């Protein structure tokens, strides 16, 4: 019953070190020159960012409530990428290798929406 | 089946009512006076039949025709993979049938009582494996399935059962259900055509209150309502109302809604009650009511439970569960019921229920029965809301019964 049990979901998510090649690539460190997106007050502070192919976006959660970034299959996203839940001041970086528009949400807060446009 | 059991079933046939194993157990248990009387009457009948040399003739029974006092009690069994619904005749205080459900089902009952059903979720290996979401409709007398409609991509919102997360349109031809993830949406199921129709993407709004066969309202994160008009062409229009409550006024998850007169009754944690009239297909906000005085609030009086509020359409009365409680204990049961005139906001009575009650419901006939469900005691207590007298009860209702559903026939 993983869908509802939040504690179990969180545990499962934090264990997952997502590493994937392809259009989206989770990278362990924020690469130099990566675009910053802050998370605060149940929002992605810059819900739409534009970057060049091959560069990265780094998300930083600035509040106590855990959030993540979650790319669901569809549109430019060929393979699901569900980032770990970020505690306060934790970061997560994704490198975008292919041009396109990448919509994402926060898994437990699907009303939190963002977009990365890769040129 | 023992001979005695067969005889008992035989006896029940003369009462022309359905019986399940749980009923029999409930009947034989000494816990309820009514059940004991029913058991004694059945035994007497069986003995008389035996004495008269009547042959036993086992058969599958039908529940009596549904009326306004037909009550469905849903037991999610504290998040178990398989759940149950108990079909209860409120007049007789007797279980007249049962239906199995999957994980966190949502019950619906037709506005004429002719059928009931569930939006269900099952898995190929009990609680894991392939997930299937589907809508199942059942005949109100036989509990036999009359429709089984699969929902593509497992879209149901798996959550503690909120009655208004799944709803029928007034003509009973469409079922609407809520999807939370990956984005807020409302699924449209064509019951008449027995097929899934489409998902309607909506903003971050929750719950579904159908006001007509092609219009429903939702409650949004920003404190407004959303009106959704379902176009026949498959294109829906949405429109937000004004923001009607403050961000620190927390509206509970179990508002009362009367589809027949479009009244939405929505209490907050502190007992402020918002009312909206949706009957014109536009939201008309009525003056808010305070269920408790400032002095009572200081003494800790506040609403609490699961289904904390019920609304009786004909008398225009609100029934609210309340008790003295610490802050953030809003899901703990209540021992009192506050009867409020919805028009004036005046308190009509404060009834002491003498049980720890989690959910409340009311039949919609002229002299209604009040249904008070205790999740802990697994018992439905039936009251006369005029006098506050407990008239009967039905016990052994599963593991953690929480939801009462009736039909406004
Ligand atoms: Cu979030």
């Amino acid at each position: 019953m993983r869908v509802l049990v939040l504690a179990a979901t969180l545990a499962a998510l934090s264990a997952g070190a997502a590493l994937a090649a392809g259009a989206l690539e989770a990278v362990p460190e924020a690469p130099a020159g990566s675009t910053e997106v802050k998370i605060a007050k149940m929002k992605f502070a810059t819900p739409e960012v534009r970057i060049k192919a091959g560069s990265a976006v780094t998300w930083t959660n600035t509040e106590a409530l855990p959030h993540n970034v979650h790319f669901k299959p569809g549109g430019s996203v060929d393979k699901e990428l569900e980032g770990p839940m970020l505690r306060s001041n934790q970061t997560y970086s994704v490198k975008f290798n292919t041009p396109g528009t990448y919509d994402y949400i926060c898994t437990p807060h699907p009303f939190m929406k963002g977009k990365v446009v890769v040129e | 089946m023992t001979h005695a059991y067969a005889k008992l079933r035989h006896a029940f046939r003369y009462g022309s009512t359905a019986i399940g194993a749980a009923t029999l157990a409930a009947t034989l248990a000494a816990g309820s006076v009514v059940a004991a009387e029913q058991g004694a009457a059945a035994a007497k009948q069986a003995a008389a039949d035996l004495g008269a040399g009547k042959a036993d003739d086992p058969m599958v029974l039908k529940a009596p025709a549904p009326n306004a006092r037909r009550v469905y009690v849903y037991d999610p069994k504290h998040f178990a993979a398989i759940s149950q619904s108990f079909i209860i005749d409120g007049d007789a205080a007797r279980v007249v049938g049962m239906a199995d459900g999957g994980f966190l089902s949502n019950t619906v009952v037709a506005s004429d009582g002719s059928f009931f059903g569930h939006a269900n979720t099952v898995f190929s290996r009990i609680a894991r494996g392939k997930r299937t979401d589907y809508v199942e409709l059942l005949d109100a007398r036989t509990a036999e399935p009359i429709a089984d409609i699969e929902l593509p991509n497992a879209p149901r919102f798996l959550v503690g059962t909120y009655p208004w997360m799944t709803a029928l349109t007034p003509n009973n031809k469409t079922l609407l259900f809520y999807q939370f993830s990956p984005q807020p949406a409302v699924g449209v199921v064509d019951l008449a055509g027995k097929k899934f129709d489409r998902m309607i993407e909506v903003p971050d709004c929750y719950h579904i209150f159908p006001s007509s066969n092609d219009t429903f309202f939702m409650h949004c994160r920003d404190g407004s309502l959303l009106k959704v008009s379902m176009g026949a062409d498959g294109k829906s229009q949405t429109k937000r109302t004004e923001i009607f409550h403050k961000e620190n006024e927390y509206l509970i998850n179990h508002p009362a809604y009367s589809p027949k007169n479009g009244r939405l009754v929505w209490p907050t944690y502190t007992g402020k009650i918002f009312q909206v009239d949706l009957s014109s297909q536009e939201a008309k906000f009525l003056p808010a009511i305070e269920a408790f005085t400032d002095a009572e609030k200081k003494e800790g009086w506040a609403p609490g439970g699961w289904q904390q509020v019920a609304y009786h359409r004909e008398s225009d009365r609100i029934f609210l569960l309340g008790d003295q409680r610490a802050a953030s204990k809003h899901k703990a049961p209540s021992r009192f019921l506050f009867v409020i005139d919805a028009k004036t906001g005046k308190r009509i009575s404060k009834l002491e229920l003498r049980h720890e009650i989690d959910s409340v419901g009311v039949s919609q006939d002229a002299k209604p029965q009040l249904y008070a469900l205790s999740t802990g005691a697994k018992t439905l207590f039936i009251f006369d809301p005029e006098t506050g007298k407990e008239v009967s009860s039905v016990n052994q209702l599963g593991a953690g019964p929480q939801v009462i559903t009736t039909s406004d026939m």
Side-chain angles (χ1 to χ4, degrees), chain A residues 46-90:
Chain A
T46 38
E48 182 174 335
V49 292
R50 285 176 175 272
I51 60 166
K52 292 264 180 289
S55 56
V57 176
T58 297
W59 286 266
T60 305
N61 185 11
T62 66
E63 62 186 0
L65 194 70
H67 300 289
N68 74 343
V69 296
H70 188 170
F71 296 86
K72 291 250 176 185
S76 302
V77 183
D78 52 351
K79 201 169 148 225
E80 180 168 43
L81 180 60
E82 184 173 358
M85 297 305 297
L86 306 174
R87 296 279 173 178
S88 184
N89 296 319
Q90 288 183 330

Side-chain angles (χ1 to χ4, degrees), chain B residues 337-356:
Chain B
L337 186 84
F338 295 82
V339 185
I340 299 161
D341 185 317
K343 195 169 278 124
T344 63
K346 290 222 167 68
R347 186 182 298 173
I348 294 163
S349 58
K350 174 188 174 186
L351 309 177
E352 191 178 351
L353 301 174
R354 293 183 183 82
H355 303 282
E356 301 274 335

Side-chain angles (χ1 to χ4, degrees), chain B residues 235-252:
Chain B
K235 286 191 179 146
S236 304
Q237 309 252 332
T238 61
K239 192 175 94 181
R240 270 182 210 261
T241 69
E242 69 197 73
I243 290 171
F244 69 97
H245 66 92
K246 298 193 190 90
E247 204 171 345
N248 64 358
E249 291 175 324
Y250 302 120
L251 275 61
I252 65 171

Side-chain angles (χ1 to χ4, degrees), chain A residues 1 3-4 42 72 105 107-111 113, chain B residues 79 103-104 123 127 158-159 180 182 204 206 221:
Chain A
M1 295 299 127
V3 184
L4 253 202
M42 303 289 274
K72 291 250 176 185
I105 59 167
T107 309
H109 310 124
F111 48 88
K113 290 176 180 171
Chain B
F79 296 86
F103 183 49
L104 295 171
F123 297 86
L158 297 182
V159 69
F180 178 70
D204 49 340
Y206 307 82
R221 177 166 299 275

